[in-house]
Amino acid sequence: EAELEEGLVGLDLRNDSDVPDVPPATDNTPEILKPALSGLSARWQNWWLRGILTLAMIAGFFLIISLGSFMLMLLVLSIQVKCYHEIITIGYRVYHSYDLPWFRSLSWYFLLCVNYFFYGETVADYFATFVQRREQLQFLIRYHRFISFALYLAGFCMFVLSLVKRHYRLQFYMFAWTHVTLLITVTQSHLVIQNLFEGMIWFLVPISSVICNDITAYIFGFFFGRTPLIKLSPKKTWEGFIGGFFSTVIFGFVFAYFLAQHQYFVCPVEYNSDSNRFVTECEASELFQMTTYSVPPVLQAVLGWEVVSLYPFQLHSVALSTFASLIGPFGGFFASGFKRAFKIKDFADTIPGHGGIMDRFDCQYLMATFVHVYITSFIRGPNPSKLLKQLLILQPEQQLSVYRTLRSHLVEKGILQPSLRG
């Protein structure tokens, strides 16, 4: 027993140098590009490889946008699952020699449980009329949280039953690893979808701002970078950071101007049970109506304008772009520290020149949380459409009670005539 305890204590005291090495990623440059890049230095090979695949990913992203909101939701779900897989795989590859029972199976089981909970909440919020027409779904929605808890409890019990005396502490480390990974991936992707339902513009501008900052910071750093920014990520430079900031703010402001002109991007995404599809039709809110602003006297002499006409959302885009370029990169720095802790260059080698999916979305998850908090704090007001959907789920007696209370209130306010009372 004493020797066992010493071994377990030693496990806790291991430093970074004792972490098992993960095998380095191999060269996965597409065969079609190898002849064209063969004569270039490694630095320029990486430049062209990243550039070509970045353009390909952007083109694919625009294609998915054109296919509608549902395809974007599937994209978010797919990215979430792949990011989860990459992080969990690192844990398994680093500690595989311990042969932990059920680790991978339980990790995927917990992913299913958490997704069931979050997507069930989304269905209850945004698909109320659809659910109301199907008795089986009504049961699932009514007891959704209990079912979710029961599913999680089953996984919890399976974990307890899988504990092995020699590996208690390591198993609890990996249990925590799984739950932190769920927090990073599933929770944040749920917020991304919540933002999408507020209007596609709240999805596209933040995500595009992060992408723009990644690209422009890389370009400025590649050509002008001289001053290291942070030790966690040696290739990051102050020149790239500052250049990325100004480029992203300008991009976000201009991109918001073009998107704000189109109903498809500014209207909340709603499910139409009659047509059985998602619709983006509405009367544009004040955020997306051209407004005239007075230019501050200090800037009038510089710009030569006394007034400017803008969409109010463009001002919000400045806040979103500023966060994407100043705070968003810290998600990348966090990921860099994580990778250094486990002596790996990238989370995976899914995208040649870029690494894994998580390498490209480490900043997006932080951005998703900010946008959700920003909307709930400064933008979102009472939602009549959502309230109506909730009322339609009530029993007829409850609906009549709400109707009588609302009618009495409107009479007291003078909006309805007293003669309308029954």
Side-chain angles (χ1 to χ4, degrees):
E1 289 293 331
E3 291 179 1
L4 176 59
E5 184 62 27
E6 288 178 7
L8 292 174
V9 171
L11 178 62
D12 282 343
L13 298 178
R14 292 190 311 171
N15 56 39
D16 287 347
S17 63
D18 296 324
V19 175
D21 287 322
V22 174
T26 57
D27 178 20
N28 61 344
T29 303
E31 292 295 331
I32 193 173
L33 295 178
K34 284 185 177 180
L37 301 177
S38 59
L40 302 175
S41 66
R43 185 168 181 260
W44 281 100
Q45 282 185 12
N46 186 61
W47 161 268
W48 282 108
L49 185 60
R50 286 173 66 98
I52 293 170
L53 291 179
T54 295
L55 292 176
M57 287 189 289
I58 291 174
F61 183 54
F62 279 111
L63 175 62
I64 293 174
I65 291 171
S66 68
L67 297 177
S69 308
F70 182 70
M71 293 305 297
L72 283 173
M73 294 177 197
L74 290 181
L75 174 65
V76 172
L77 177 60
S78 301
I79 291 172
Q80 172 222 112
V81 172
K82 189 65 178 72
C83 289
Y84 182 83
H85 171 257
E86 290 177 358
I87 299 176
I88 288 295
T89 299
I90 291 173
Y92 175 73
R93 289 169 63 187
V94 168
Y95 296 108
H96 73 283
S97 59
Y98 292 92
D99 194 25
L100 298 180
W102 299 5
F103 169 57
R104 285 191 295 179
S105 300
L106 282 174
S107 296
W108 288 104
Y109 177 81
F110 282 124
L111 176 66
L112 291 174
C113 290
V114 176
N115 269 309
Y116 177 82
F117 170 74
F118 279 120
Y119 280 94
E121 294 288 305
T122 300
V123 169
D125 284 343
Y126 296 99
F127 299 84
T129 53
F130 175 80
V131 171
Q132 189 182 21
R133 297 178 178 180
R134 288 161 175 79
E135 189 172 341
Q136 301 90 339
L137 290 179
Q138 288 182 31
F139 173 82
L140 292 175
I141 293 300
R142 184 176 296 113
Y143 301 105
H144 171 68
R145 295 192 177 183
F146 179 81
I147 295 172
S148 300
F149 176 72
L151 290 173
Y152 177 82
L153 198 59
F156 178 81
C157 292
M158 285 190 287
F159 168 74
V160 173
L161 293 174
S162 73
L163 291 173
V164 178
K165 188 174 182 180
R166 293 182 56 211
H167 305 310
Y168 284 159
R169 295 192 184 188
L170 181 58
Q171 286 181 284
F172 279 104
Y173 290 159
M174 302 315 295
F175 184 77
W177 180 296
T178 298
H179 282 67
V180 171
T181 305
L182 290 170
L183 177 66
I184 293 173
T185 57
V186 182
T187 306
Q188 308 307 316
S189 64
H190 173 70
L191 295 181
V192 171
I193 292 178
Q194 293 291 306
N195 299 338
L196 177 60
F197 275 109
E198 296 295 327
M200 205 176 292
I201 197 168
W202 290 104
F203 173 85
L204 293 177
V205 170
I207 285 180
S208 300
S209 294
V210 172
I211 294 173
C212 174
N213 186 68
D214 280 347
I215 294 172
T216 54
Y218 177 75
I219 292 173
F220 276 95
F222 186 88
F223 288 106
F224 309 109
R226 297 292 182 273
T227 313
L229 175 62
I230 186 170
K231 290 183 179 179
L232 278 174
S233 192
K235 293 184 179 180
K236 299 290 192 301
T237 63
W238 276 104
E239 291 80 4
F241 186 75
I242 295 171
F245 165 70
F246 286 107
S247 302
T248 302
V249 171
I250 294 171
F251 166 82
F253 191 79
V254 175
F255 191 48
Y257 172 78
F258 286 106
L259 293 184
Q261 301 177 47
H262 302 282
Q263 186 183 65
Y264 180 73
F265 297 113
V266 303
C267 291
V269 176
E270 297 183 349
Y271 178 77
N272 188 313
S273 57
D274 295 327
S275 59
N276 197 33
R277 64 185 181 90
F278 289 101
V279 295
T280 50
E281 299 173 357
C282 67
E283 182 178 344
S285 68
E286 295 179 355
L287 277 179
F288 308 108
Q289 296 180 9
M290 192 66 75
T291 305
T292 301
Y293 296 92
S294 298
V295 177
V298 177
L299 297 177
Q300 287 183 14
V302 179
L303 300 175
W305 303 330
E306 294 185 358
V307 296
V308 292
S309 294
L310 302 170
Y311 292 104
F313 180 79
Q314 287 181 268
L315 302 179
H316 293 290
S317 74
V318 173
L320 299 178
S321 300
T322 299
F323 184 91
S325 52
L326 295 185
I327 307 300
F330 280 84
F333 302 152
F334 177 87
S336 295
F338 179 89
K339 289 182 286 187
R340 279 178 169 271
F342 293 96
K343 300 180 181 180
I344 55 176
K345 182 178 182 294
D346 298 310
F347 282 94
D349 56 1
T350 309
I351 312 172
H354 290 269
I357 299 295
M358 190 65 198
D359 290 288
R360 294 274 57 83
F361 287 87
D362 46 15
C363 301
Q364 295 287 4
Y365 286 125
L366 196 60
M367 189 71 192
T369 304
F370 172 73
V371 174
H372 184 75
V373 172
Y374 189 89
I375 291 174
T376 54
S377 300
F378 304 111
I379 305 298
R380 182 188 294 160
N383 189 332
S385 177
K386 187 174 180 180
L387 180 61
L388 181 60
K389 290 177 181 178
Q390 292 173 334
L391 288 174
L392 292 175
I393 299 176
L394 299 177
Q395 297 297 321
E397 298 80 8
Q398 296 172 313
Q399 292 174 340
L400 284 172
S401 176
V402 172
Y403 166 72
R404 295 189 188 101
T405 303
L406 180 61
R407 185 180 64 177
S408 299
H409 176 74
L410 293 176
V411 169
E412 292 174 2
K413 289 285 187 179
I415 297 174
L416 292 180
Q417 298 296 323
S419 59
L420 293 178
R421 293 182 178 179

